[in-house]
Each structure stands twice: as C-alpha cells, then as structure tokens.
C-alpha cells in the first residue's frame, strides 16, 4: 500500500482536492483524476447503478495513481463497509449517521482487530508486504472513515459522532 494521499496532501498544502463521482463509469477515471491533480476520488454507491464489483475494476486500474479511492456506501453496516474495502477502497463515507453508536459500527466494520471486527482479506499480493499484521496495521492507519451527518438527529449528535475514535 502507498502512503495515504489525503494525509500527505493536507500535511503539504493544508487541503486535499478530490472529486465525487456518480456515473463516470470507466476504469480509467482514476488516471484522469490523477492527471488533473486530484488527491482523492469518492465513488457513490447509494445514488448510482454501481456496485462493489464494478468499483473493483476501477480501483484495480487506478492502483499506483496516488489518488485515494473512497466509497460512499449505502449504510454504515459491516455488510456494506467490508466488501467495499475488500474491493480496493481506501476509505468509506457512510450516509445518514445519526448517533455515536452508528459511527462506532462504521469504525468496527472498517478496522481490523484489535481496533475493529473486520475479517482479514487482501485484493492484491503487494498489500501483504511485511506480512498480514503489517497489512492490517497500514489499513487501520490509512483508511479514511467519514460519517456523513444529514438529518436533524445527526446534527443533534454531531459532536458525539465526531468524537468517535477513527472518524
């Protein structure tokens, strides 16, 4: 795995620039974004016909571009979060997070033990550089987790959501 492009961009420039994609269905989109100088790409699975399998091809084609791929899943649930990460996402945005408990489910679903409950799996062999423990530590450190607050309940609990370690 490469260094987290988002953290690097923020450290170097104080900001990260990216694009949220809905229906730009080509495996080369990550290369286009890299040429444009993007630090990240956020792919929405809630409002599109994309699924994890279609993004697996986009993420594989985009490896080595330096663009940090993030998947916006349908909900902050293990059955949505883990497959997106296993497909190659390096971050998750979960919509409609309304409580700290939901934010904790997001973190637990995205992190390997001891920080979470994600089952171990890798897409590409080079992700195992240093062994499984090193791969899990890199993923826990580098995967970005975004709890999207979109409702009155979420606004009421925004401080508690933001305070969840890993968000």
């Amino acid at each position: 795995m490469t260094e987290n492009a988002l953290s690097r961009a923020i450290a170097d420039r104080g900001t990260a620039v990216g694009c949220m994609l809905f229906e730009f269905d080509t495996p080369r989109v990550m290369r286009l974004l890299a040429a444009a100088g993007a630090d990240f790409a956020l792919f929405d699975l809630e409002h599109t016909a994309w699924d994890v399998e279609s993004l697996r091809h986009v993420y594989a084609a985009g490896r080595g571009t330096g663009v940090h791929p993030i998947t916006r899943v349908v909900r902050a649930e293990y059955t949505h979060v883990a497959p997106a990460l296993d497909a190659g996402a390096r971050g998750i945005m979960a919509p409609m997070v309304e409580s700290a408990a939901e934010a904790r489910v997001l973190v637990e679903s995205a992190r390997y033990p001891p920080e979470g409950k994600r089952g171990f799996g890798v897409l590409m062999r080079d992700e195992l550089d240093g062994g499984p423990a090193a791969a899990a530590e890199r993923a826990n450190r580098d995967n970005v987790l975004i709890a999207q607050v979109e409702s009155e309940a979420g606004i009421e609990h925004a401080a508690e959501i933001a305070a969840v370690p890993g968000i």
Side-chain angles (χ1 to χ4, degrees), residues 1-2 63 120 122 124-138:
M1 281 196 217
T2 59
R63 286 176 56 83
F120 189 77
V122 294
M124 303 287 183
R125 188 197 175 294
D126 66 330
E127 293 176 353
L128 281 173
D129 287 350
E137 188 277 324
R138 279 191 305 274

Side-chain angles (χ1 to χ4, degrees), residues 3-17 39:
E3 180 184 6
N4 180 324
L6 292 174
S7 297
R8 185 176 58 246
I10 292 168
D12 292 349
R13 301 189 315 263
T15 189
V17 177
D39 301 304

Side-chain angles (χ1 to χ4, degrees), residues 3-165:
E3 180 184 6
N4 180 324
L6 292 174
S7 297
R8 185 176 58 246
I10 292 168
D12 292 349
R13 301 189 315 263
T15 189
V17 177
C19 183
M20 185 168 189
L21 296 137
F22 293 89
E23 292 289 341
F24 202 123
D25 195 8
T26 175
R28 296 193 50 88
V29 70
M30 297 278 281
R31 298 197 180 278
L32 294 170
L33 290 171
D39 301 304
F40 69 92
L42 201 156
F43 294 85
D44 187 1
L45 293 185
E46 183 178 18
H47 302 295
T48 67
W50 280 336
D51 59 15
V52 169
E53 189 58 32
S54 59
L55 287 186
R56 180 181 305 273
H57 299 287
V58 172
Y59 293 161
R63 286 176 56 83
T65 63
V67 177
H68 195 94
I70 301 170
T71 301
R72 184 176 185 270
V73 296
V74 176
R75 285 283 176 255
E77 297 171 357
Y78 186 86
T79 56
H80 297 291
V81 172
L85 292 169
D86 288 345
R90 304 260 328 277
I92 298 292
M93 174 187 270
M96 297 300 292
V97 176
E98 296 184 325
S99 69
E102 289 178 13
R104 282 190 291 278
V105 168
L106 172 59
V107 173
E108 289 173 356
S109 299
R111 300 279 193 249
Y112 292 117
E115 296 174 36
K117 297 179 180 177
R118 180 179 172 200
F120 189 77
V122 294
L123 180 63
M124 303 287 183
R125 188 197 175 294
D126 66 330
E127 293 176 353
L128 281 173
D129 287 350
E137 188 277 324
R138 279 191 305 274
N140 284 352
R141 179 191 64 229
D142 291 344
N143 286 343
V144 174
L145 300 178
I146 303 166
Q148 190 174 3
V149 173
E150 302 182 81
S151 67
E152 287 184 38
I155 291 169
E156 285 178 34
H157 301 108
E160 294 124 20
I161 292 167
V164 172

